[in-house]
């Protein structure tokens, strides 16, 4: 699917593949994914397509969130703000002026926005840019502090944005939100962005920039002594994370075709946190797998909240049950299996090959 | 003007004067020791030089600039590297990666080139990798390149810290108790390594050490610190005879000389 | 704005501030020892409110129900530490904080599952609900009692912390965790006591909060909790007196700003964060904190 490269040591292990071979394998995997998407696009039920779209959006969000929390090792609790900003930006750009007028009945939308309209692709770029711009603005207070303080400050910015979504009515239409967006988001868009995010962020993590981020995570003092100004790698991670989260926000609202402030409450951040913790903090592979499990599991768990009709009796749904399960999972993983599924390991072809050949031998030996 | 000079540096923590009116001048290519009882303020001197602490008063001249107010990363970029008393490696990264980090600040690329995997950036990465590998080989750590730093033996970790500091390309290297926790053989090897760094790399070395035999055998000049104040300076032979030094060490249970 | 309204708001601010103060103490005490923001602390407010509702339902006497609710909440606080934090004493800090966030969500949603999401009215005892008139001001007596009760409780706490053996151990632990451990003090006991005291105070705050805004729901603890945390930072985290002062200042500031500039009312919840960010930017050690070098 992408250029997952293991830690520096991987190249030394014998029986390794050449770069060319790996590129071929990556290309083959990409083709496979595209094939599967094409199949679902053609024959999949609406339900399955929706889950797949959700998966892609969560993959994008989780991989970008992991860049900050897992790779840089800081606890940022405000990705919901990035998603919100991207969502509103993108929605306000794709809606036609007429539709906007229908939506904004109490307060008028402020001027330039009330008349402009942009194609979806452009609106997504704008969504990413606006979110990154916001990240840039808050980065100075955020990176003045570390640890729990950083967590609470980013949480605070997330809340401030949520409050603004409700209050800045001539921009967001307040609690009423925006309705009747065009359902632009399809499998090609959502997975295209997801793959782009995975590939580019993986390349970044495996570059010198990624090493600087990890060095800060491991020991910030030592990183400074090695000539690294911590602010710069942290800011970089923050901006890139915000950029892709903003785009994901745009995708999300054009999937469900409405925007409402309740989409961007802290629960969104909480869900992303579960995903990257379960997948393994610091592992992009973990974030991808975690996100897919979450999108699928979240849908599967919906049954516990919906009434179940057994023909004779109806078991009423239990609201909140899903979150109980999720928070239990989070706590159990963090307490008993702190490394999650992947730890900090990444998928790589060599290990897969070795794993398969070992498995093959065992099957063949008796 | 000296190669490196600290003039009347004062560092205060609340009421405590951790470093009081400290001055020193180092010549290019010298190998100088800084000794003193526990809590004398030696590490604080290093922290002040390397920008982790801004001195309350005083100047630090280096390469024609006053670097007293520089942040740590700028000090490193200006050619002063250090190791830490309590080892601070990037534990979860490989030995090779630990060294590669040192080349980051001087890398001339940008994140967009990195994210798009441009060939220019890939070339730079390969270059850093190659340089780091060679560097590890030279310092006798080549065979450990793919090990996780936290799994190394203690002596190897100290060595890696030195290798990593050296990879930033310093002209002045500060070593904070490099021999601490090493066995006698490792200590001898370390002394050889430090000489090699000075002679072959042409790096000036300023080091803190409690092991008197080590310091006296290695350093050409020694500065003694007690309660934040410099109480003596001279050749090892002079320091061993200095009455004030003997008193300071007797007071804290150490033995000068040997 | 007339003087009457101004005074009314002033009293109101002090009263809200006293509740922030009670909750802030728990944050500050736990942070002092564990260096952990106990995210679930605010939810104890909600736990106490539910416990009080059922207490009154059973005993129909607030003087039995309230202390019982406070005690139960205190025990849940200790349980929280035992289950969610103690296993992570040697884990990376980020794990501890994540566990705290998980615990907070767990408490909220567990209560949602058990008691449903429909807000329950809080049975306000007449003793607190009475309204008196002082010089044209109509004030609910709770508004006056809240700061008084807070001050009494704080004095009690300060007595424990400064004059008892356990309190001294607690202060030693917050100054130097490792040394205290080496001195042979049972740290887990001290931490449990910290959680017990902090949670009991939060519970008292929660019950008064529920009497002031008599709607009890599983998520009612979030905002008072966050604001109390901000109050703790404002006062200088780790410092009990600071937390109290921070609580009063925040409550007063919030209410007065909205009173003076009513157009800011809808931003009230964001205001506290702005204050937090400003404090962290310009005086990260808070009002009462000493400036120490990290
Ligand atoms: N960041 C700080 N804040 C407050 N006091 C400090 C700080 N750093 C050092 N000190 C104090 O300054 C004094 C000097 O400490 P320093 O670490 O420089 O001593 P040292 O000579 O390196 O001792 P050792 O041989 O034990 O390493 C000590 O009393 C120490 O407690
Ligand atoms: Mg020292």
């Amino acid at each position: 699917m992408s250029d997952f490269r293991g830690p520096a040591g991987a190249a030394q292990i014998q029986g390794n593949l050449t770069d060319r071979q790996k590129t071929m394998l990556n290309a083959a995997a990409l083709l496979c994914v595209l094939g599967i998407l094409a199949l679902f696009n053609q024959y999949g039920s609406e339900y399955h397509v929706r889950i797949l779209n959700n998966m892609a959006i969560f993959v994008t969000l989780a991989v970008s969130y992991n860049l900050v929390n897992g790779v840089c090792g800081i606890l940022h609790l405000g990705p919901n703000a990035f998603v919100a900003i991207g969502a509103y930006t993108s929605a306000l750009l794709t809606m036609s002026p007429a539709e906007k007028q229908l939506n904004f009945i109490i307060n008028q939308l402020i001027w330039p926005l009330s008349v402009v309209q942009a194609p979806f692709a452009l609106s997504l770029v704008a969504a990413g840019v606006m979110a990154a711009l916001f990240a840039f603005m808050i980065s100075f207070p955020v990176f003045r502090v570390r640890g729990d303080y950083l967590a609470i400050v980013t949480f605070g910015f997330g809340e401030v944005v949520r409050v603004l979504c409700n209050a800045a009515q001539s921009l967001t239409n307040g609690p009423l939100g925006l309705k009747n967006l065009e359902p632009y988001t399809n499998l090609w868009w959502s997975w295209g962005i997801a793959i782009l995010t995975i590939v580019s962020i993986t390349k970044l993590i495996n570059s010198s920039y990624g090493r600087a981020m990890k060095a800060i995570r491991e020991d910030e003092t030592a990183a400074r002594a090695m000539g690294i100004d911590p602010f710069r790698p942290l800011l970089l991670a923050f901006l890139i994370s915000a950029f892709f989260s903003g785009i994901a926000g745009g995708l999300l609202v054009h999937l469900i075709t409405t925007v409402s402030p309740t989409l961007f409450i802290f629960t969104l951040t909480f869900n992303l946190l579960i995903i990257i913790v379960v997948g393994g903090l610091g592992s992009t592979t973990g974030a991808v797998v975690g996100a897919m499990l979450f999108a699928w599991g979240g849908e599967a768990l919906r049954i516990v909240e919906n009434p179940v009709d057994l023909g004779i009796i109806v078991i009423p749904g239990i609201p909140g049950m899903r979150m109980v399960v999720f928070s239990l999972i989070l706590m159990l993983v963090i307490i008993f299996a702190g490394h999650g599924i992947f730890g900090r390991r990444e998928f790589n072809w060599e290990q897969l090959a070795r794993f398969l050949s070992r498995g093959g031998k065992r099957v063949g030996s008796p | 003007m000296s190669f490196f000079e600290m003039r009347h540096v004062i560092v205060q923590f609340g009421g405590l004067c951790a470093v009081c009116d400290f001055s020193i001048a180092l010549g290019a290519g010298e190998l100088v020791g800084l000794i003193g009882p526990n809590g004398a303020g030696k590490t604080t001197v290093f922290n002040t030089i390397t920008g982790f602490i801004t001195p309350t008063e005083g100047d630090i001249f280096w390469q024609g600039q006053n670097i007293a107010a520089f942040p740590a990363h700028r000090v490193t970029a200006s050619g002063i590297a250090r190791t830490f008393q309590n080892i601070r490696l990037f534990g979860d990264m490989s030995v090779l990666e630990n060294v590669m980090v040192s080349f980051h600040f001087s890398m001339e690329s940008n994140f967009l080139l990195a994210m798009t995997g441009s060939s220019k950036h890939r070339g730079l990465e390969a270059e850093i990798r190659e340089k780091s590998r060679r560097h590890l080989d030279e310092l006798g750590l080549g065979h450990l390149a793919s090990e996780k730093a936290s799994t190394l033996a203690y002596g190897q970790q100290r060595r890696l810290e030195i290798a990593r500091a050296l990879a930033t390309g310093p002209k002045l290297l500060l070593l904070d108790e490099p021999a601490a926790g090493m066995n006698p053989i490792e200590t001898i090897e370390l002394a050889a390594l430090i000489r090699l760094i000075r002679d072959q790399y042409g790096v000036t070395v300023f080091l803190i050490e409690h092991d008197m035999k080590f310091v006296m055998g290695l350093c050409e000049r020694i500065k003694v610190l007690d309660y934040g104040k410099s109480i003596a300076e001279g050749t090892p032979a002079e320091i061993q005879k200095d009455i004030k030094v003997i008193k300071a060490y007797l007071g804290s249970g150490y033995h000068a000389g040997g | 704005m007339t003087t009457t309204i101004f005074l009314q708001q002033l009293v109101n601010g002090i009263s809200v501030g006293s509740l922030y103060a009670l909750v802030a103490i728990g944050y500050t005490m736990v942070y002092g020892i564990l260096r952990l923001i106990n995210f679930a602390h605010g939810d104890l407010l909600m736990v106490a409110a539910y416990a009080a509702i059922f207490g009154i339902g059973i005993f129909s006497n607030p003087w039995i129900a309230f202390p019982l609710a406070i005690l139960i909440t205190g025990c849940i606080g200790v349980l929280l530490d035992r289950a969610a934090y103690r296993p992570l004493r040697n884990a990376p800090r980020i794990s501890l904080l994540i566990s705290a966030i998980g615990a907070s969500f767990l408490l909220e949603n567990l209560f949602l599952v058990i008691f449903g999401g429909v807000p329950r009215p809080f049975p306000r005892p007449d003793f607190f609900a009475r309204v008196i008139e002082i010089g044209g001001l109509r004030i609910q007596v709770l508004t006056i009692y809240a700061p008084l009760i807070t001050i009494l409780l704080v004095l009690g706490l300060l007595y424990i912390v400064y004059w008892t053996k356990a309190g001294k151990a607690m202060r030693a632990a917050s100054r130097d965790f490792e040394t205290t451990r080496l001195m042979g003090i049972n740290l887990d006991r001290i931490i449990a006591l910290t959680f017990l005291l902090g949670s009991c105070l939060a519970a008292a705050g929660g019950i008064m909060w529920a009497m002031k805004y008599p709607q009890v729901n599983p998520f009612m603890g979030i905002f008072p909790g966050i604001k109390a945390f901000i109050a703790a930072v404002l006062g200088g985290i780790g410092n009990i007196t600071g937390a109290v002062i921070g609580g009063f200042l925040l409550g007063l500031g919030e209410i007065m700003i909205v009173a003076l500039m009513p157009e800011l009312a809808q931003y009230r919840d964001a205001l506290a964060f702005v204050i937090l960010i400003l404090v962290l930017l310009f005086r990260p050690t808070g009002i009462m904190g000493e400036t120490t070098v990290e």
Side-chain angles (χ1 to χ4, degrees):
Chain A
M1 179 151 46
S2 74
D3 179 28
F4 285 114
R5 232 173 288 155
Q12 281 222 325
I13 300 159
Q14 28 175 282
N16 57 347
L17 305 160
T18 63
D19 277 355
R20 218 183 115 80
Q21 281 171 315
K22 273 191 245 173
T23 315
M24 305 271 282
L25 282 168
N26 286 336
L30 186 63
L31 273 178
C32 272
V33 171
L34 293 182
I36 293 169
L37 290 181
L39 279 178
F40 269 100
N41 208 25
Q42 199 70 35
Y43 306 108
S45 69
E46 198 180 313
Y47 174 76
H48 286 132
V49 169
R50 197 187 66 217
I51 293 186
L52 274 179
N53 273 318
N54 268 336
M55 270 187 187
I57 292 171
F58 271 110
V59 165
T60 308
L61 286 172
V63 169
S64 0
Y65 192 40
N66 178 60
L67 178 64
V68 176
N69 285 33
V71 180
C72 298
I74 60 179
L75 189 53
H76 155 51
L77 293 181
N80 51 331
F82 300 156
V83 184
I85 288 171
Y88 278 103
T89 306
S90 165
L92 287 173
L93 285 177
T94 58
M95 288 170 84
S96 67
E99 193 63 55
K100 285 176 194 167
Q101 233 169 19
L102 283 178
N103 264 281
F104 285 78
I105 26 181
I106 300 173
N107 284 291
Q108 277 306 303
L109 178 60
I110 52 169
W111 168 66
L113 281 173
S114 56
V115 291
V116 293
Q117 188 178 10
F120 184 48
L122 193 64
S123 87
L124 287 184
V125 175
V129 170
M130 286 304 287
L133 211 61
F134 170 76
F136 180 73
M137 285 190 323
I138 68 171
S139 64
F140 294 90
V142 164
F143 293 125
R144 281 277 299 248
V145 290
R146 289 289 184 280
D148 297 27
Y149 282 95
L150 190 146
I152 210 84
V153 170
T154 47
F155 175 84
F157 277 116
E159 283 301 304
V160 169
V161 166
R162 191 189 55 82
V163 170
L164 287 180
C165 289
N166 275 308
Q169 303 212 347
S170 47
L171 202 58
T172 63
N173 207 23
L176 292 178
L178 306 171
K179 295 197 177 58
N180 291 328
L181 304 188
E182 289 293 323
Y184 288 119
T185 303
N186 56 25
L187 287 177
W188 302 121
W189 273 113
S190 63
W191 279 98
I193 296 287
I195 291 169
L196 179 74
T197 309
I198 296 171
V199 172
S200 54
I201 288 187
T202 304
K203 280 195 193 303
L204 184 76
I205 294 175
N206 289 330
S207 78
S208 188
Y209 295 91
R211 269 194 305 279
M213 291 169 194
K214 286 186 222 160
I216 293 168
R217 170 186 75 195
E218 296 296 309
D219 191 325
E220 185 168 338
T221 302
R224 287 167 65 199
M226 297 305 121
I228 293 171
D229 176 3
F231 181 72
R232 294 176 62 177
L234 291 179
L235 177 65
L236 178 63
F238 207 48
L239 293 183
I240 289 169
S241 182
F243 180 76
F244 287 115
S245 305
I247 293 181
L251 288 172
L252 177 71
V253 291
H254 287 95
L255 178 68
I256 55 182
T257 69
T258 55
V259 193
S260 119
T262 54
L263 284 173
F264 314 113
I265 57 177
F266 183 63
T267 309
L268 176 60
T269 296
F270 182 72
N271 290 341
L272 292 176
L273 199 58
I274 296 178
I275 291 173
I276 62 173
V277 166
V278 169
L281 269 178
S283 164
T284 302
T285 314
V288 173
V289 172
M292 291 170 70
L293 281 176
F294 181 87
W296 168 77
E299 205 59 46
L301 271 176
R302 230 174 248 288
I303 47 167
V304 300
E305 296 203 344
N306 291 338
V308 182
D309 191 348
L310 293 180
I312 317 156
I313 47 162
V314 178
I315 303 170
I318 314 163
M321 203 59 195
R322 223 152 56 111
M323 287 315 287
V324 169
V325 175
F326 283 149
S327 25
L328 273 178
I329 291 176
L330 178 69
M331 291 182 70
L332 290 177
V333 170
I334 206 82
I335 292 174
F336 297 110
H339 295 297
I341 301 174
F342 282 86
R344 281 173 183 164
R345 289 185 305 264
E346 297 290 358
F347 169 83
N348 74 59
W349 290 111
E350 276 119 2
Q351 261 169 23
L352 183 69
R354 239 173 299 140
F355 179 76
L356 289 179
S357 67
R358 221 186 307 133
K361 248 181 239 139
R362 209 175 295 140
V363 171
S365 58
Chain B
M1 192 171 192
S2 311
F3 178 68
F4 170 87
E5 188 171 357
M6 295 174 82
R7 268 189 225 153
H8 306 296
V9 169
I10 298 177
V11 178
Q12 265 170 331
F13 296 121
L16 174 81
C17 196
V19 175
C20 285
D21 197 16
F22 182 83
S23 300
I24 192 171
L26 303 179
E30 266 195 302
L31 216 166
V32 180
L34 179 62
I35 63 171
N38 285 112
K42 305 178 297 293
T43 299
T44 307
V45 169
F46 274 20
N47 284 341
T48 312
I49 298 173
T50 49
F52 286 97
I53 294 173
T54 312
T56 320
E57 263 176 60
D59 304 306
I60 304 173
F61 294 105
W62 170 244
Q63 310 256 309
Q65 299 181 80
N66 186 351
I67 60 164
F70 274 27
H73 59 94
R74 270 187 75 191
V75 174
T76 306
S78 77
I80 300 180
R82 71 172 292 178
T83 63
F84 294 90
Q85 182 172 348
N86 44 341
I87 302 175
R88 286 176 167 273
L89 291 173
F90 306 125
D92 204 45
M93 296 163 75
S94 74
V95 169
L96 183 66
E97 284 179 306
N98 263 271
V99 175
M100 288 171 79
V101 168
S102 304
F103 291 98
H104 179 72
F105 78 91
S106 55
M107 183 182 192
E108 282 170 9
S109 181
N110 69 56
F111 71 94
L112 282 176
L113 294 181
M115 288 179 81
T116 50
S118 84
S119 59
K120 175 182 176 226
H121 183 85
R122 285 212 308 264
L124 286 171
E125 291 276 346
E127 202 178 293
I128 288 180
R129 190 171 291 267
E130 198 38 52
K131 269 197 278 189
S132 305
R133 234 176 242 293
R134 233 181 303 127
H135 189 71
L136 281 175
D137 285 339
E138 280 169 14
L139 298 177
L141 291 167
H143 60 295
L144 298 169
S146 54
E147 300 294 323
K148 220 184 193 192
S150 59
T151 61
L152 296 192
Y154 193 80
Q156 292 169 335
Q157 293 201 0
R158 285 237 173 257
R159 215 167 235 272
L160 176 56
E161 261 221 331
I162 297 177
R164 195 180 61 170
L166 208 53
T168 62
K171 294 192 191 65
L172 171 61
L173 180 62
L174 312 180
L175 304 173
D176 197 342
E177 305 200 11
M182 283 191 170
N183 62 37
I185 297 172
E186 284 174 329
T187 310
I188 293 169
E189 285 172 359
L190 176 72
L193 175 69
I194 293 174
R195 280 203 194 89
L196 175 111
I197 289 170
R198 201 267 304 263
D199 298 339
Q200 309 231 321
Y201 291 76
V203 176
T204 308
V205 179
F206 188 24
L207 65 87
I208 298 175
E209 189 48 67
H210 279 302
D211 183 337
M212 285 305 145
K213 202 170 149 198
F214 179 86
V215 179
M216 298 294 166
L218 184 66
C219 298
E220 293 145 358
R221 194 152 62 86
I222 292 169
K223 181 104 176 162
V224 190
L225 209 59
D226 192 21
Y227 290 110
K229 289 198 181 68
S230 163
I231 55 168
E233 182 175 350
T235 62
E238 289 165 357
I239 293 298
Q240 275 165 345
K241 279 181 294 197
D242 193 298
I243 205 83
K244 271 190 289 184
V245 178
I246 295 169
K247 265 195 186 150
Y249 271 90
L250 285 180
S252 67
Y254 270 94
H255 298 283
Chain C
M1 183 165 44
T2 66
T3 330
T4 328
I5 295 180
F6 178 80
L7 284 178
Q8 187 102 45
Q9 296 292 5
L10 191 71
V11 175
N12 197 13
I14 291 175
S15 145
V16 172
S18 70
L19 301 187
Y20 289 162
L22 277 181
V23 185
I25 292 170
Y27 277 113
T28 247
M29 286 171 63
V30 169
Y31 193 92
I33 291 189
L34 291 185
R35 300 284 179 270
L36 161 76
I37 296 176
N38 179 7
F39 251 85
H41 187 63
D43 298 305
L44 295 176
L45 222 89
M46 171 272 296
V47 172
Y50 274 100
I53 290 186
F54 288 100
I56 289 183
I58 295 167
F59 301 105
S60 53
N61 178 346
W63 303 114
I64 300 175
F66 288 179
L68 206 62
I70 291 175
L71 210 65
I72 289 174
T73 311
C75 293
I76 290 182
V78 175
L79 207 70
L80 177 73
D81 168 56
R82 184 72 195 75
Y85 306 146
R86 205 200 282 186
L88 292 170
R89 291 273 196 270
N90 298 318
R93 306 209 34 73
I94 194 167
S95 307
L96 201 61
L97 202 53
I98 290 173
S99 184
I101 296 172
S104 166
F105 265 74
L106 182 63
L107 271 177
E108 288 159 18
N109 288 289
L110 209 57
F111 273 68
L112 177 64
V113 166
I114 299 173
F115 300 117
V118 187
R120 291 173 185 237
F122 192 85
R124 242 187 313 204
D126 296 337
F127 179 78
F128 290 105
R130 270 185 305 129
V131 172
I132 53 170
E133 244 190 79
I134 311 172
L137 283 185
R138 287 178 53 80
I139 300 173
Q140 199 187 46
V141 286
L142 176 70
T143 315
I144 297 170
Y145 286 152
L148 296 180
I149 293 173
T150 299
I151 288 171
L152 276 181
L153 290 174
V154 170
L155 288 179
L157 178 75
L158 288 178
Y159 172 78
I160 294 177
V161 171
Y162 283 91
W163 295 98
T164 64
K165 233 178 114 186
K168 282 176 187 158
M170 213 185 267
R171 281 192 299 142
S174 77
R175 261 200 311 278
D176 191 340
F177 200 79
E178 275 315 307
T179 316
T180 315
R181 192 206 297 271
L182 292 178
M183 276 169 11
I185 290 173
N186 184 340
L187 272 177
D188 280 329
R189 285 247 292 279
I190 294 301
I191 293 170
L193 179 67
T194 308
F195 272 89
L196 180 73
L197 291 174
S199 310
C200 285
L201 293 180
I207 292 173
M208 289 196 271
W209 189 273
M211 288 195 278
K212 195 167 173 57
Y213 307 101
Q215 294 271 314
V216 174
N217 73 66
F219 302 99
M220 65 177 274
I222 300 178
F223 264 92
I226 290 166
K227 297 210 181 133
F229 170 75
I230 294 173
V233 175
L234 185 61
I237 199 137
N239 182 319
I240 294 177
T241 332
V244 175
I245 296 175
F248 278 110
L249 277 182
L250 185 68
L252 208 57
E254 222 181 41
I255 297 234
M256 290 320 270
I257 287 178
V258 174
L260 293 173
M261 289 174 278
E263 65 275 12
L264 286 183
Q266 53 183 345
Y267 297 98
R268 182 176 153 186
D269 286 341
L271 221 57
F273 284 110
V274 175
I275 295 177
L276 172 74
I277 289 156
L278 291 179
V279 172
L280 287 180
L281 274 182
F282 296 109
R283 196 172 160 80
T285 51
I287 300 168
M288 298 285 288
E290 306 137 33
T291 40
T292 49
V293 187
E294 180 73 2

